Amino acid sequence: MHQNILLIRLSSLGDIILTSPAIRAVRCHYPKARISMLVAKQFVDLISENPHLDEVIGFDRRAKNRDTSEMMRIVRILRRRDFDLAIDFQSKFRTNLLAYLSGSKCRVGDHRQNRLMCAVRAPDRVNIHAINRNFDLLRPLGIETSDRTLELFLSDADRASARNLLVTKGTHPNRTKVGLFPGAGWKLREWMPDRFAAVGDRTVHEFDAQVLIFGGPNEGELVNHVASLMEARATTFSVHLPIRQFSALIELCDLFITNDTGPMHISAAMRTPTVALFGPGNHTRFQPLDLIHSTIRHHVPCSPCKQFTDKCKDNICMKRITVDEVWATVRHKLTEIQSTT
């Protein structure tokens, strides 16, 4: 029986959230174990409230010396913990090496990992949902689960802070709130700003909704651009928000319309009905799974895209998603939401 367990998933935001069902399953299987998780420093707050974890260790991937002294610092921390089981959910050379250097004798990874550094290698079923791939890593340990519910834990203070922020922005607590996330971190995943604006306007005109437009720390210009294209007034959040406050704001939305990006997974974890727009990304592996969510995409021969570059000249996978088809889904969901409130 393992008593001291290390879980590894350094990045990214969405992938860490997709690990939450596996974290829960490990805790259920080892209820008395001490469970630590190693993540990139910027994502520590994302899981710091997770009750299934006893400790969150932050790896500073942005440090200039991350390949030398930062690695040594983390390895010293890991060795002091005396782990007897390490599960590498990232399956990259660096995370594989960290699991090995932790000193744990039982190290679980997928079949691609180095035979010498990975003691237990699970079969790697490539084109399945990321949650199921994480479950595959648990199976050699005798952990069987089918609960794919995402979890993201917030404090009362996080939720109070989000409610107060909406008040200061002039929103009305009883009006339907529709969140838009027009960014993606990769331009080819972004639906066109004018189309986001058009859908936003329709929610205001037909449902008297309040439109909240969100963006990442480098997407303030995009957020303001979408707002400027709308005829109706939108509330913008173009500054960098603490991740849990941002999550609490998404939880307060009645509907969230987003590209294939990290906040899509936050929305799914917060149980906010989500309309996910997929283009070059792999919807089979990453789309929200609950029936309250909808995925909109078009089959094109080059999707999913084989490389994260900007070489695509036409971006047909995103351009084929029309305002009318997104609006049909949004209208159906908002009609259901307003009929039950």
Side-chain angles (χ1 to χ4, degrees):
M1 179 66 69
H2 298 290
Q3 296 299 325
N4 206 1
I5 300 170
L6 171 65
L7 310 179
I8 302 176
R9 180 77 227 194
L10 296 184
S11 64
S12 56
L13 189 155
D15 293 308
I16 292 171
I17 294 173
L18 290 170
T19 309
S20 62
I23 296 173
R24 181 179 60 245
V26 172
R27 170 56 71 193
C28 289
H29 194 76
Y30 299 110
K32 296 182 179 180
R34 177 178 175 79
I35 303 176
S36 302
M37 187 160 181
L38 178 64
V39 299
K41 185 178 179 180
Q42 67 266 34
F43 299 123
V44 167
D45 285 346
L46 187 66
I47 57 172
S48 59
E49 295 289 324
N50 191 319
H52 306 309
L53 298 172
D54 296 290
E55 179 186 27
V56 181
I57 303 169
F59 182 96
D60 191 355
R61 301 180 75 196
R62 298 172 178 174
K64 293 181 180 179
N65 57 4
R66 65 186 181 275
D67 292 324
T68 53
S69 59
E70 178 62 9
M71 282 286 289
M72 293 173 63
R73 183 184 75 85
I74 292 297
V75 169
R76 285 194 294 269
I77 292 173
L78 298 182
R79 285 191 170 274
R80 284 198 295 268
R81 300 300 189 271
D82 193 26
F83 293 110
D84 53 55
L85 169 63
I87 306 174
D88 178 11
F89 290 108
Q90 189 123 8
S91 302
K92 300 293 185 182
F93 175 78
R94 176 176 291 173
T95 54
N96 192 196
L97 180 62
L98 285 167
Y100 177 75
L101 294 177
S102 73
S104 172
K105 292 183 178 179
C106 184
R107 302 177 302 279
V108 182
D110 71 30
H111 83 287
R112 297 173 297 169
Q113 295 182 316
N114 187 288
R115 186 181 299 274
L116 296 177
M117 289 194 287
C118 184
V120 180
R121 297 192 297 170
D124 182 27
R125 295 185 292 159
V126 178
N127 203 32
I128 61 171
H129 200 276
I131 296 173
N132 291 336
R133 291 189 76 192
N134 290 332
F135 287 169
D136 283 349
L137 293 174
L138 305 182
R139 203 158 285 117
L141 299 169
I143 302 176
E144 294 286 347
T145 182
S146 59
D147 184 358
R148 300 192 292 185
T149 305
L150 298 179
E151 292 181 310
L152 203 170
F153 297 91
L154 305 178
S155 67
D156 291 340
D158 296 325
R159 291 186 166 96
S161 176
R163 288 193 297 269
N164 290 337
L165 182 56
L166 286 182
V167 170
T168 63
K169 289 277 191 176
T171 62
H172 192 285
N174 295 327
R175 284 179 63 192
T176 298
K177 295 174 180 62
V178 175
L180 306 181
F181 198 91
W186 182 31
K187 279 293 180 184
L188 295 180
R189 282 185 176 174
E190 293 179 4
W191 199 40
M192 293 72 223
D194 60 312
R195 300 185 189 186
F196 267 109
V199 171
D201 275 330
R202 292 187 188 188
T203 68
V204 176
H205 296 151
E206 186 162 339
F207 293 93
D208 191 31
Q210 297 175 112
V211 175
L212 314 180
I213 309 177
F214 300 93
N218 300 315
E219 295 171 336
E221 185 176 340
L222 174 61
V223 167
N224 292 331
H225 181 47
V226 173
S228 71
L229 293 172
M230 288 183 58
E231 297 175 1
R233 178 185 175 274
T235 302
T236 60
F237 298 85
S238 57
V239 297
H240 181 57
L241 295 168
I243 190 66
R244 293 208 308 271
Q245 185 188 47
F246 175 47
S247 302
L249 285 169
I250 293 178
E251 185 181 37
L252 291 171
C253 292
D254 296 285
L255 183 68
F256 195 67
I257 308 167
T258 174
N259 296 311
D260 165 26
T261 187
M264 174 186 71
H265 300 293
I266 291 179
S267 183
M270 301 319 307
R271 314 290 192 271
T272 298
T274 304
V275 178
L277 311 179
F278 270 77
N282 190 327
H283 75 289
T284 300
R285 293 181 59 187
F286 298 113
Q287 67 183 328
L289 294 176
D290 196 287
L291 293 177
I292 65 172
H293 312 305
S294 296
T295 296
I296 298 177
R297 66 178 292 273
H298 286 270
H299 174 74
V300 295
C302 54
S303 179
C305 189
K306 298 298 188 296
Q307 52 187 352
F308 284 80
T309 72
D310 292 321
K311 293 182 179 180
C312 179
K313 295 180 180 179
D314 48 28
N315 204 199
I316 58 172
C317 55
M318 295 304 292
K319 289 180 179 177
R320 287 188 181 181
I321 300 175
T322 68
V323 170
D324 285 343
E325 68 177 315
V326 172
W327 175 242
T329 299
V330 169
R331 188 176 189 275
H332 176 73
K333 288 184 177 296
L334 287 178
T335 299
E336 285 189 334
I337 289 167
Q338 290 196 346
S339 68
T340 58
T341 57

